[in-house]
Amino acid sequence: MDGLAVPPEILDEIAFQTSQLNDVGPPKDLANLLVTSKSIHRAISSSTVLLARIFRAHFDYAALARRFRPEWLTPHALAEELKTRWKTLKRIRHIAVVWAGRKSDDEKTLLDAWAKTSVIDDLWMAFLMLLESDGKNILQLVKWAKMHDYLNAFQSYKLVPRAERHGFQPEGLDTSLALWVAWLLTDADTLHTESRHQTETYIGLIRPFVFGAHRYDSYFAPWSIFNLPLDPPKDDPDAAQKLSGRYRPMQQEPYMANDQILSNNEQAVQFLQRRFAIGAPIMTLAAINSYFVRMEYLLHVRGILPKRPDPHFITGPDTPPMAPDDYPRQGVHYPPTNNSRIYDTDFNRLVRCLNPYVESSPRGQSLCPPGTFAGAWEGRFAYFEFDAYRDMLAGQHPPAIVQMDELVMGQQPQVWRVSEYHLYASSARKTVPELSPTTSTLKAIDAININSPDGSGSGLEGSSSSAEEIRPLSVGPAINAHVPLRTRFVEVPGGIYVFEEGKVGHLFYRKYVPSEKRVVESAIAEAPSKGSGEDEGEEDEPILDTLITGSGHSAWGPFTLRGRVRQWDGYVSVLKDYSKADEAADTNAGEVV
C-alpha cells in the first residue's frame, strides 16, 4: 500500500501509537514503520507536529512550558530536540555499556569510547533533563541510558586520576556537572547498592570540595558583597565584559576569607536548537549534599556511625518543646525526581546569576519566593579534627580514598527554628521623635501603635514617607550577616520593627505566613498573567529586602539567629549568637537548593 494514500492525520496517529509501544529508549517499532516505504519515511520524518508530540510523550514537558517562551517550543524546535536527546542518550548508554562489560585490564576500549563523545555536552543534557524531570526523564536516563554506570566510569577514569595527581583537583565544568547529576540521581536504591569500597572512594573524592572552602567557590558571587549587581568602576565601564570565567587556576596563595575575586559564570549551552546563556552549577553544593546524605544513610540504615542524640538534646532543656507538626523530619532525604517545580528556583538562579555587574531580576522580584527559609531545619555542624583542618589550610590534602572509620569527624546535630520577614515596596519608614541612640527599645515601642492589624501602624500622624522613598536596612559587616551593628529587631503582631542606629524611625518587615503564595517566574518564560481568582495583596508587591530570625540548640547551648538574604541570588548569611556571654557568635552562610 502506498503510504501517501493514507490521510496524513491517520498516518501520524499510526506512527504516534507505534512510538508508544516501548516505554523507554528510542521508539524502535517506529523505525520498522519508517522502512515500510519511502513515502511513509518521508511523510513521518517531515512531520514536525508528529515528532513534537512524540517528544512530549517520551520526555517531561511541563517544566519547559513554565521556563521558556512559546517561541522556544515550536513543533520544529521540539522535533529537533527529540533527535538531539536520543543521540545524546545513545552516547551516554554506549559509555555505560562499555564500562559495565569491560575487562579489568582493558582501559583502551573505554578511553576510545570517551574520545567519541562530547562529555560536557552530554552532562549538560543529563543535568537539564533532571531539573525538568516529572518522572519521564529519570526513566530515560536511568533505565535506558544507564546513567549510573556512566557516572561510575566518569569517576574511575576522570575523577580518581585527577585526585591522585593533584590532591585538591581543579574545579572544572565537567566535574561540577557530574557531581550534580550524581546528586540528583541519589536515592535509597543507589546507596543500598553501593559497596563499602564505592562509598569510601566517593566520599574521599568529594570531601575536599565539602571542607575546602579556602580553595573552592560556594556562591555565585563573593560572600562579603551584599549589594548586587555592582556598578562598573568609573575608569572601567566595560568591567563586566572583562571578567574571567569561574574556572580559574587553583588558588595557591594563603587563604583570604575576604576573597572578592569576581567571575563571569556564563556558559553557552545548545538547547532547544538555540544557544542560551546559563550559569555553571556550584560544584561544592552538590558535593555537600552527596556527602551528608551518605552520612545520614550510614547512620540510619547501616548503623555504622554513632546514633544522633535524642530530641530533648536537640531542642535543649531551656528551649520550649516543638509541636509535633513543627519538628523536622528525621531520616535520609533524597532529591525528588518527579516534581520539577522544586527546581524552578534553581533553574532561575542559573539563568539569571551570570555576572555580578548584571541585574538578575527586576527590582523587588526575589529569586527565593516567600517561605523558602521559614520553618524548622534539621542538620549537622560538621568539622575536621582541628589539627587535620589546620594541615589542610596549610596545603596538605586529604587522601583520595578514606576508610569508613575516618568518617566520624566532629559533628553536632542542630535544629534551627526560623522565621522569615519581608520589606515590601509599600512599606514606609515610621518616624519616632523620641528615638535616639540612647533610647531604649521599650521606650521606642511605647511611641508606636503596635496594635494596628498589620503591625505597620504608627501612632504619629504624618510620619510615613512615600513608598518611592523607602530604602531597605543599610548594609552592615559581612561577619554580622550584613546587618548593621547595634540594629534592633522588635517582634510585633504581623512582623518585626527594625531600628537602625543613627536612623530616625523604624522599618516594618512583614512576617511570612504559609498562606502566602508567590509565583517564581523564569527569566526566559513570559511572566504569567494574574488569574481572576487570585488575591490582590501585599504578597504580590515587590520585595525589597528579606531578614530572618530564629533560635536553636546545640551541644554548646541555646542560641539565637538573625540573618539576611541577598536578593540577587538568594545567598543567605546567618549570625548564630550563643546565650552565654563567654561564647562568641559565628556566621553561617549558604544557598538553599
Side-chain angles (χ1 to χ4, degrees):
M1 179 182 67
D2 188 346
L4 294 180
V6 180
E9 63 274 14
I10 300 299
L11 183 59
D12 278 6
E13 187 62 28
I14 292 173
F16 177 75
Q17 295 300 331
T18 302
S19 72
Q20 303 308 298
L21 294 179
N22 54 298
D23 295 332
V24 297
K28 54 187 178 183
D29 294 290
L30 182 59
N32 296 330
L33 180 62
L34 287 172
V35 299
T36 304
S37 72
K38 291 182 178 179
S39 57
I40 287 180
H41 187 286
R42 184 168 54 251
I44 292 176
S45 300
S46 61
S47 177
T48 57
V49 173
L50 167 64
L51 296 179
R53 185 182 177 193
I54 294 175
F55 175 90
R56 291 190 291 267
H58 282 253
F59 297 97
D60 292 302
Y61 179 75
L64 294 176
R66 288 195 310 273
R67 298 171 186 173
F68 294 90
R69 293 189 292 267
E71 57 264 32
W72 285 59
L73 304 173
T74 62
H76 174 75
L78 295 181
E80 293 301 316
E81 183 68 12
L82 177 68
K83 300 173 187 177
T84 300
R85 291 199 178 190
W86 285 131
K87 290 177 182 177
T88 301
L89 292 176
K90 285 179 180 178
R91 292 196 299 265
I92 292 173
R93 179 183 170 91
H94 177 62
I95 293 290
V97 170
V98 171
W99 162 258
R102 77 196 185 288
K103 296 180 181 179
S104 59
D105 58 347
D106 183 15
E107 295 187 6
K108 184 177 183 303
T109 302
L110 187 60
L111 293 176
D112 290 343
W114 280 117
K116 298 176 182 178
T117 67
S118 175
V119 176
I120 290 179
D121 288 346
D122 294 347
L123 287 171
W124 264 123
M125 180 62 77
F127 174 67
L128 292 173
M129 284 179 62
L130 288 170
L131 293 187
E132 302 161 12
S133 182
D134 287 306
K136 295 177 183 177
N137 288 1
I138 184 74
L139 290 177
Q140 300 291 5
L141 283 165
V142 174
K143 195 172 179 180
W144 190 80
K146 303 182 183 299
M147 195 73 211
H148 286 298
D149 285 335
Y150 178 94
L151 292 171
N152 288 336
F154 184 90
Q155 172 183 308
S156 295
Y157 282 87
K158 293 188 179 292
L159 295 186
V160 170
R162 289 176 190 172
E164 292 174 342
R165 184 166 59 251
H166 296 286
F168 288 104
Q169 58 179 293
E171 182 179 8
L173 180 56
D174 59 344
T175 303
S176 178
L177 291 170
L179 293 187
W180 269 100
V181 172
W183 160 242
L184 293 172
L185 290 177
T186 301
D187 57 19
D189 289 338
T190 302
L191 300 186
H192 180 72
T193 56
E194 275 188 357
S195 67
R196 180 176 181 129
H197 175 72
Q198 287 175 318
T199 300
E200 291 174 343
T201 300
Y202 194 65
I203 288 180
L205 287 172
I206 64 177
R207 188 167 64 168
F209 304 144
V210 176
F211 294 99
H214 62 303
R215 290 181 177 268
Y216 302 106
D217 287 329
S218 295
Y219 317 111
F220 286 89
W223 69 277
S224 55
I225 302 174
F226 186 78
N227 279 338
L228 292 170
L230 298 170
D231 293 324
K234 293 182 180 180
D235 59 348
D236 190 8
D238 298 325
Q241 286 73 41
K242 297 179 181 178
L243 288 182
S244 60
R246 169 174 295 278
Y247 301 112
R248 57 185 185 267
M250 291 288 291
Q251 176 178 308
Q252 301 299 330
E253 298 78 16
Y255 171 53
M256 300 297 292
N258 192 27
D259 177 7
Q260 294 196 10
I261 297 177
L262 302 175
S263 61
N264 185 354
N265 197 35
E266 182 175 329
Q267 304 287 330
V269 176
Q270 186 75 21
F271 193 67
L272 292 170
Q273 303 311 299
R274 297 175 184 243
R275 292 190 73 80
F276 81 104
I278 184 171
I282 304 298
M283 179 181 66
T284 55
L285 301 182
I288 290 169
N289 285 334
S290 294
Y291 186 90
F292 283 102
V293 78
R294 282 167 172 77
M295 294 299 98
E296 293 298 318
Y297 179 81
L298 294 173
L299 185 156
H300 286 278
V301 180
R302 294 187 177 178
I304 294 176
L305 299 183
K307 293 293 183 181
R308 80 171 69 237
D310 59 36
H312 175 77
F313 169 85
I314 296 177
T315 57
D318 301 323
T319 306
M322 288 186 178
D325 292 341
D326 292 335
Y327 198 79
R329 294 176 299 128
Q330 293 193 21
V332 187
H333 310 310
Y334 306 102
T337 54
N338 58 359
N339 183 4
S340 61
R341 287 188 179 275
I342 290 177
Y343 300 115
D344 282 350
T345 297
D346 300 280
F347 178 81
N348 286 329
R349 185 186 288 121
L350 290 175
V351 297
R352 289 177 174 181
C353 301
L354 303 177
N355 191 307
Y357 289 107
V358 179
E359 184 67 79
S360 63
S361 306
R363 184 175 184 268
Q365 186 181 111
S366 175
L367 276 172
C368 298
T372 298
F373 308 97
W377 295 79
E378 179 189 26
R380 292 174 178 272
F381 175 74
Y383 50 91
F384 269 179
E385 190 270 330
F386 293 120
D387 290 339
Y389 192 67
R390 177 202 61 207
D391 294 340
M392 186 177 71
L393 290 177
Q396 178 179 328
H397 60 81
I401 299 177
V402 298
Q403 300 300 313
M404 198 68 75
D405 56 8
E406 293 182 89
L407 301 181
V408 188
M409 81 300 285
Q411 53 182 306
Q412 295 292 345
Q414 297 189 17
V415 169
W416 293 9
R417 291 183 285 189
V418 175
S419 297
E420 180 180 332
Y421 303 88
H422 302 287
L423 178 68
Y424 288 96
S426 61
S427 301
R429 183 176 290 278
K430 308 298 180 179
T431 305
V432 185
E434 295 89 348
L435 185 61
S436 69
T438 58
T439 304
S440 70
T441 301
L442 291 178
K443 185 175 181 181
I445 293 303
D446 287 340
I448 304 170
N449 174 19
I450 65 172
N451 296 317
S452 56
D454 65 353
S456 62
S458 171
L460 304 169
E461 295 183 2
S463 62
S464 299
S465 61
S466 65
E468 289 75 15
E469 297 173 355
I470 191 67
R471 292 290 184 273
L473 185 67
S474 301
V475 177
I479 59 174
N480 198 51
H482 298 286
V483 175
L485 298 174
R486 291 174 291 279
T487 295
R488 290 172 286 177
F489 294 176
V490 180
E491 186 173 355
V492 296
I496 55 172
Y497 287 147
V498 179
F499 295 89
E500 181 180 349
E501 186 179 60
K503 294 287 184 71
V504 177
H506 70 280
L507 289 169
F508 174 71
Y509 283 66
R510 179 183 174 187
K511 186 175 184 178
Y512 165 80
V513 291
S515 60
E516 292 182 1
K517 295 181 180 179
R518 188 178 180 87
V519 176
V520 181
E521 299 170 1
S522 171
I524 298 176
E526 293 178 335
S529 58
K530 189 173 181 63
S532 59
E534 294 181 353
D535 293 334
E536 297 281 355
E538 190 174 51
E539 59 268 24
D540 297 312
E541 297 178 2
I543 294 176
L544 303 183
D545 195 19
T546 299
L547 298 174
I548 64 174
T549 66
S551 61
H553 192 91
S554 74
W556 297 321
F559 53 79
T560 59
L561 303 167
R562 66 163 55 184
R564 200 169 187 182
V565 179
R566 186 165 64 188
Q567 299 294 97
W568 187 76
D569 62 345
Y571 157 85
V572 58
S573 181
V574 181
L575 185 71
K576 185 166 62 175
D577 192 1
Y578 286 90
S579 302
K580 299 177 182 178
D582 58 345
E583 292 282 357
D586 57 75
T587 303
N588 297 257
E591 307 265 5
V592 175
V593 295

